[in-house]
Amino acid sequence: MSDVVSYELIGNIGVISVNHPPVNALAQVVREGILNAVTAAQGDASEAIVLRCEGRTFIAGADITEFGKPPKEPGLAAVLAAIENSNKLVIAAIHGTALGGGFEVSLACHYRCAIASAKVGLPEVKLGLLPGAGGTQRVPRIAGVKAALDMIASGNPIAADKALDMGLIDEIVEEADLQAGAVQYAKDLVESGAPLRRIRDITIDAATIEPGFFDNARKQLARRARGQIAQDKIVSCIEAAVELPMDKGLQRERELFLELVTSPESAAMRHIFFAERQAAKIKGLAKDTPVREINKVAIIGGGTMGGGIAMCFANVDIPVVMVEINDEALQRGLNIIRKNYKITVQKGKLDADKMEDRLGLITGTTDYADIADVDLVIEAIFENLELKKEIFAKLDSVCKPGAILATNTSYQDVNAIAEATSRPQDVLGMHFFSPANVMKLLEVVRGEKTADDVLATSMKIGKKIGKVCALSRVCYGFIGNRMLGGYGREAQLLLMDGCTPTQVDSALESFGMAMGPLAMGDLAGLDVGYKARQGRTDLPDDPKLYRMGNLLVEMGRHGQKTGSGFYKYDAETRKRISDPEVEAMIKQEAAKLNVEQRDISDQEILQRCFYPLINEGARILEEGIAQRPSDIDVVYVFGYAFPVAKGGPMHYADQIGLKNVYDKICEFRESYGEQYWQPAPLLKQLAEAGKTFAEWGSEQG
Ligand code: 3H9
């Protein structure tokens, strides 16, 4: 057949093998190969056909790189039709992850078997798409409408045992030799006279669907959509599966898939898919850079951050030792971890015995001598450079040679911390985001002397604990927090100019931010920013600047923890409520400063808050702090809940057009002063050249 798809007869069973690394995506050669093999098998001595894959996984979906390019024949629909119409049984043999178009291929087969470690799923929604090769029509026919909606709208993969219960697969076969197991299963089916079972022939009894089911589903999904448009269309497709015959349902699915695949939302989400994978790659570091073994980890500091980080490692079976200054602090830290795990168990996301296993992996000590044998230390104490330096000097004296010494600092100078040791090559920043066991981002901060293998190891271990890693060089706040400065500043200045807190936050939340900046300030504690500002000498001398944030703290309104901040909070539900007192105070303060308040459009709110992010992002690029524009997008989507459907701040800027962003910043400079608005040289350069950040990024290699 071809190198990519081969076909052989094993006894009376024809075996089609796909071999298209890394993930057997359905590129044109794969589609053509499968089509040819199925067609050839119709006329040979085979009595049934097994479709299997080489390498690490069954087909993991359509080839995402082909989207947006002219279609190439044969289309996936033709391949699926050939499989489903085969006059011999076709059996999919699944290992790894059968995802998206890959799982849809298996659904066109008459039977599906899998090894126990396999997973199946339709993750298209995570790319702003819907399953476009029959998934929305076939899954409800075999698993039921509700299960189909949950699976397709969440995009989460399903483990083989559960998939078996749901009817998504028919048989679990021996792990050791899937091919032999699948061939045997095929033989058994032939011998038992199993029918050519085509999912398309099943009809769904509309009477079994509760009235209002689809409307309710739409409403619920809309609440979490954050600018994503696929969920609503997924509901429409599943509705079509109930109401329309198969061919019409497929047609509806196709139409809606095509709408999504050409949408800016899906383009942004595909950008993030590739950006996430790219971010883990360090320029100049060979793929085969050696990595150090990480079998045991120590965390210095058992606070919220340290506890969350400890959980990340225990969750992947790596033992952790938590170091605290005294027994009381240690117990407190360990208790917080237990409490967090208990919540996970209560939510049904973890078995109680698994919780005990994980807790068993986390031990505590107050003696640094107990961490002499660990492979990685992550310091997670509060932000005090001198104290951090002391701790690193101590680590230097107790830790074994080759141990990686990381700091979780959000701001401090990683180079200064490294210099407190005799082994700066082993020191770097590993900046987690709170809550560390939940948030996906890990900023890996490269010190001037950090060794290549230390960086490679950190990227690898970051992936192992489920994080999305992005590399930053050392600067105040690294990539994420450094960019945030102007965003928070403008949110508060907008109040002085005439907005209410609700107006600012609502504009940003309608754009898709998980939470507006003022509500976020209330959540984090307004006193945190207040204290940080007191130590700064670089802030412009402007009475408007952070005026409301400062006054609220001085009134004891520190945010959610004191029951009020920019908003009031319901004592029981924690629901935020606009506070007329704050709104009146804003007006009074503006009057005192002779600021003429005016109506401000949502568009201006977005521009004033986001353009400083973009502008600082440009500086971060020109200084080489971030490796590429798409890394910044990754940082913002995974660490700051920037809506993935907008693709991150740099991608968003490219969509607006850098000339438009640049011109607006110049306009703001005229209106609001150059102490706040100075276009970055790179932004100016690209705006003048009519280029995008993405183009600049590819030119840099
Ligand atoms: C779809 O199927 C639409 C259909 O319904 C309808 C069609 C008409 N295409 O993630 P990794 C690359 S939509 C192209 O690091 P892992 C990836 O970029 C698709 N490339 O590995 C990376 O490249 P590089 C629905 C792909 O072991 C390399 O493979 N399917 C694709 O951690 C390794 O990837 C999905 O959304 C692809 N489909 O995880 C599944 N997938 O080495 C998307 C991967 O140059 N894929 N690459 O950086 C995944 O979730 C993970 O890759 C997977 C493996 C779990 C499979």
Side-chain angles (χ1 to χ4, degrees):
M1 288 271 139
S2 75
D3 289 347
V4 175
V5 181
S6 61
Y7 178 72
E8 63 175 326
L9 260 180
I10 301 183
N12 61 340
I13 306 298
V15 176
I16 303 173
S17 298
V18 178
N19 185 11
H20 187 52
V23 297
N24 291 312
L26 286 162
Q28 190 273 341
V29 275
V30 176
R31 299 195 300 271
E32 185 177 66
I34 297 176
L35 183 59
N36 289 344
V38 172
T39 309
Q42 300 306 305
D44 71 7
S46 63
E47 291 184 80
I49 304 159
V50 164
L51 174 62
R52 63 175 286 275
C53 292
E54 296 285 345
R56 65 199 214 217
T57 180
F58 191 78
I59 301 164
D63 184 341
I64 305 168
T65 59
E66 282 187 0
F67 293 150
K69 296 186 186 152
K72 286 189 205 151
E73 293 298 321
L76 192 51
V79 181
L80 266 60
I83 294 174
E84 199 164 46
N85 292 332
S86 161
N87 56 29
K88 297 172 184 180
L89 295 181
V90 185
I91 296 111
I94 299 171
H95 75 292
T97 42
L99 297 178
F103 184 49
E104 291 173 299
V105 166
S106 82
L107 289 171
C109 296
H110 308 107
Y111 295 88
R112 285 158 294 286
C113 64
I115 55 173
S117 58
K119 288 184 179 159
V120 301
L122 293 169
E124 286 85 345
V125 69
K126 297 187 179 179
L127 299 169
L129 298 171
L130 53 82
T136 65
Q137 305 304 297
R138 290 192 176 89
V139 173
R141 282 177 161 78
I142 48 171
V145 165
K146 177 161 185 328
L149 186 62
D150 287 349
M151 176 180 184
I152 301 173
S154 75
N156 294 333
I158 294 175
D161 54 350
K162 190 163 176 228
L164 185 70
D165 290 345
M166 292 169 70
L168 296 171
I169 59 171
D170 306 292
E171 181 86 0
I172 294 192
V173 298
E174 262 305 297
E175 290 271 333
D177 191 347
L178 172 61
Q179 175 167 317
V183 167
Q184 188 54 51
Y185 177 54
K187 282 186 174 161
D188 295 346
L189 287 171
V190 170
E191 264 168 40
S192 65
L196 283 165
R197 202 187 50 179
R198 296 183 172 107
I199 296 175
R200 68 174 183 217
D201 296 335
I202 302 171
T203 46
I204 302 170
D205 179 2
T208 59
I209 316 292
E210 294 163 30
F213 173 82
F214 291 110
D215 286 346
N216 288 340
R218 277 202 177 86
K219 276 186 211 141
Q220 271 183 20
L221 290 167
R223 266 184 236 133
R224 289 183 269 137
R226 297 181 53 213
Q228 296 181 41
I229 57 171
Q231 283 85 344
D232 191 69
K233 297 191 188 332
I234 287 170
V235 178
S236 299
C237 286
I238 297 185
E239 211 170 4
V242 178
E243 288 170 0
L244 303 176
M246 184 75 177
D247 55 342
K248 291 274 182 301
L250 285 176
Q251 208 177 321
R252 182 90 187 105
E253 181 193 79
R254 188 81 204 140
E255 284 160 16
L256 294 178
F257 176 83
L258 288 176
E259 272 181 35
L260 289 175
V261 85
T262 49
S263 69
E265 288 81 3
S266 175
M269 292 170 81
R270 282 165 3 227
H271 160 74
I272 288 297
F273 176 87
F274 289 113
E276 175 186 340
R277 280 147 185 89
Q278 182 84 338
K281 294 173 188 139
I282 301 177
K283 285 188 188 176
L285 234 68
K287 246 188 159 180
D288 57 355
T289 303
V291 288
R292 301 185 190 178
E293 289 258 328
I294 305 291
N295 296 318
K296 192 171 177 189
V297 175
I299 311 288
I300 313 294
T304 317
M305 209 61 197
I309 300 172
M311 289 171 76
C312 294
F313 288 94
N315 291 348
V316 295
D317 294 328
I318 298 179
V320 185
V321 190
M322 207 155 86
V323 185
E324 257 298 354
I325 40 169
N326 57 42
D327 287 334
E328 199 194 332
L330 189 58
Q331 269 321 313
R332 206 182 313 127
L334 293 171
N335 287 343
I336 293 175
I337 295 177
R338 177 170 282 277
K339 199 173 114 205
N340 286 342
Y341 272 130
K342 267 196 181 151
I343 295 172
T344 320
V345 171
Q346 278 158 7
K347 284 188 186 157
K349 291 185 179 165
L350 183 72
D351 292 340
D353 49 343
K354 271 222 174 106
M355 167 177 102
E356 291 305 331
D357 291 349
R358 288 182 189 176
L359 284 168
L361 286 168
I362 305 175
T363 52
T365 184
T366 53
D367 185 354
Y368 275 71
D370 290 340
I371 62 166
D373 63 338
V374 303
D375 306 299
L376 166 68
V377 184
I378 302 176
E379 164 275 309
I381 64 151
F382 55 92
E383 295 290 356
N384 178 316
L385 183 60
E386 288 317 307
L387 197 56
K388 283 180 194 281
K389 287 204 262 187
E390 262 174 46
I391 287 175
F392 274 75
K394 215 185 276 180
L395 293 174
D396 191 22
S397 66
V398 296
C399 290
K400 69 181 183 188
I404 296 178
L405 309 180
T407 169
N408 175 53
T409 181
S410 309
Y411 293 98
Q412 307 293 345
D413 182 349
V414 173
N415 292 324
I417 295 173
E419 289 310 324
T421 73
S422 63
R423 37 174 138 174
Q425 75 281 0
D426 294 338
V427 178
L428 85 167
M430 286 177 80
H431 180 210
F432 290 77
F433 289 70
S434 188
N437 52 316
V438 178
M439 292 298 287
K440 295 280 280 177
L441 180 67
L442 176 63
E443 264 182 333
V444 172
V445 185
R446 176 183 207 160
E448 261 161 37
K449 296 188 180 154
T450 310
D452 286 356
D453 66 336
V454 169
L455 290 173
T457 308
S458 305
M459 287 291 180
K460 186 169 171 209
I461 196 77
K463 183 167 183 189
K464 182 160 183 187
I465 60 173
K467 299 298 174 204
V468 175
C469 302
L471 188 73
S472 175
R473 291 254 184 204
V474 177
C475 67
Y476 183 81
F478 315 124
I479 298 174
N481 284 340
R482 169 168 162 182
M483 283 169 64
L484 208 55
Y487 176 70
R489 176 198 78 213
E490 286 303 311
Q492 290 208 28
L493 285 172
L494 279 160
L495 301 178
M496 290 287 107
D497 289 336
C499 292
T500 63
T502 305
Q503 195 191 346
V504 173
D505 284 340
S506 300
L508 291 154
E509 286 161 9
S510 303
F511 174 85
M513 296 301 287
M515 197 183 253
L518 302 170
M520 191 49 131
D522 275 358
L523 178 68
L526 298 179
D527 53 323
V528 179
Y530 182 83
K531 275 189 210 129
R533 286 195 293 276
Q534 282 181 331
R536 284 179 65 179
T537 50
D538 58 327
L539 293 174
D541 183 17
D542 175 358
K544 293 200 297 297
L545 186 59
Y546 301 113
R547 188 168 187 95
M548 287 309 300
N550 291 345
L551 285 174
L552 291 170
V553 171
E554 284 155 17
M555 289 164 72
R557 299 181 62 129
H558 292 191
Q560 285 200 25
K561 58 187 166 192
T562 59
S564 65
F566 284 108
Y567 299 91
K568 289 190 289 201
Y569 292 88
D570 183 284
E572 264 169 39
T573 60
R574 284 203 184 173
K575 195 172 171 308
R576 80 177 193 230
I577 307 161
S578 311
D579 190 345
E581 204 185 314
V582 173
E583 288 170 12
M585 210 173 114
I586 294 170
K587 286 204 170 77
Q588 283 160 16
E589 293 305 313
K592 273 189 214 161
L593 300 177
N594 295 323
V595 180
E596 205 173 306
Q597 292 209 309
R598 61 188 168 86
D599 282 343
I600 293 179
S601 68
D602 284 359
Q603 195 196 12
E604 180 174 338
I605 296 174
L606 296 184
Q607 290 167 334
R608 297 242 327 246
C609 291
F610 286 141
Y611 289 9
L613 276 182
I614 297 164
N615 199 38
E616 199 61 29
R619 286 188 207 282
I620 279 174
L621 288 171
E622 65 201 16
E623 289 170 25
I625 300 293
Q627 297 192 94
R628 24 181 118 76
S630 60
D631 285 13
I632 297 180
D633 290 334
V634 165
V635 166
Y636 263 77
V637 166
F638 293 101
Y640 297 83
F642 195 93
V644 62
K646 296 289 195 302
M650 309 317 269
H651 178 86
Y652 173 59
D654 281 349
Q655 304 313 301
I656 300 168
L658 298 190
K659 170 97 172 59
N660 293 330
V661 176
Y662 172 76
D663 287 347
K664 200 69 189 173
I665 289 179
C666 294
E667 205 182 301
F668 287 155
R669 180 175 55 189
E670 295 307 308
S671 313
Y672 304 114
E674 53 187 37
Q675 75 268 41
Y676 300 130
W677 295 96
Q678 271 301 347
L682 179 65
L683 179 65
K684 181 170 192 272
Q685 177 200 320
L686 296 179
E688 282 168 0
K691 282 195 178 156
T692 60
F693 284 123
E695 283 162 350
W696 179 82
S698 349
E699 280 165 19
Q700 305 297 304

